[in-house]
Amino acid sequence: RMPIPLSKTFSCPNMYVIHTMTPDCGRLEPKAEGETPSDPSYTVLGNQRVKLPQQTNLSSRVLASDGLYLLNNGKELLLWVGRGLRPDIVQSLFGLPSLDGIDSGLLRIVPTQGDNDFKTRLCNVLSGLRERKRCSPFQQLHVIKEGEPVEANFRAFLLD
C-alpha cells in the first residue's frame, strides 16, 4: 500500500540532469517566513530553500554516456552514472579516479566536512528532495552505473 501523493510520484517520476547543474542549483538560500514553494524548481529544506537542477524527459534518448542523472520516484533516489562521466566529477563525488571495476552497490554519496562545491550542492539537492517526501520512509540513494545489470531498475521508470 502506497499513499496517494507517493504513488503519483512513483508512477510519474522526476528526472534531473546533474552533470550540467548551473552554479545556483543546490545552493541553500534563505526562505521567507511562511513561504511555501509554489515554484517547482525549488524545494524547502528546513528554513532554507534549494534550487533543483533542470528536469528532463523520462526517456533513454536523453541519457548521455558522459552524464549524471537523478531519478526521484518518491520511494527511492536513483543516480545513473554514465561510463564517460568526467573524471573530476567522479573524483569529487566518490573520491575515486574511476569507477571501472567498482560494484555500484558499494558506492555512496555521504556529505562530509570539507566536501567540494559540486558534492555539497548535490547533497543539498538530495536532502531537499527527501524533505519533500517526509510522509514516506527515508529515500535511499542507489548509484547505478551505465551497462550494469541493475541499470534495468533505472530504465524501468523511463517511458520508452
Side-chain angles (χ1 to χ4, degrees), residues 35-44 49-52 132:
E35 175 185 354
T36 56
S38 56
D39 182 348
S41 64
Y42 283 88
T43 188
V44 172
R49 66 185 198 155
V50 178
K51 183 172 183 187
L52 297 173
R132 273 187 175 175

Side-chain angles (χ1 to χ4, degrees), residues 25-142:
C25 289
R27 297 233 184 267
L28 297 176
E29 302 174 359
K31 177 184 79 131
E33 193 168 323
E35 175 185 354
T36 56
S38 56
D39 182 348
S41 64
Y42 283 88
T43 188
V44 172
L45 182 56
N47 63 350
Q48 298 178 308
R49 66 185 198 155
V50 178
K51 183 172 183 187
L52 297 173
Q54 174 190 351
Q55 284 194 48
T56 190
N57 296 330
L58 288 169
S59 170
S60 60
R61 291 187 292 269
V62 303
L63 299 176
S65 283
D66 62 348
L68 184 66
Y69 301 87
L70 178 66
L71 190 139
N72 177 17
N73 66 18
K75 190 174 176 189
E76 59 195 349
L77 297 164
L78 306 173
L79 185 68
W80 186 88
V81 182
R83 282 189 190 110
L85 183 63
R86 290 188 352 231
D88 62 310
I89 295 178
V90 171
Q91 180 71 44
S92 72
L93 294 179
F94 304 107
L96 300 166
S98 167
L99 297 182
D100 292 340
I102 305 291
D103 178 1
S104 64
L106 302 174
L107 296 171
R108 303 284 179 263
I109 296 179
V110 180
T112 57
Q113 197 75 18
D115 278 341
N116 63 63
D117 181 64
F118 189 83
K119 183 177 176 187
T120 298
R121 293 187 299 123
L122 177 57
C123 288
N124 289 341
V125 167
L126 295 171
S127 295
L129 291 172
R130 287 173 174 144
E131 183 75 13
R132 273 187 175 175
K133 304 295 178 204
R134 280 183 289 177
C135 62
S136 67
F138 180 79
Q139 286 180 279
Q140 186 70 39
L141 175 68
H142 301 280

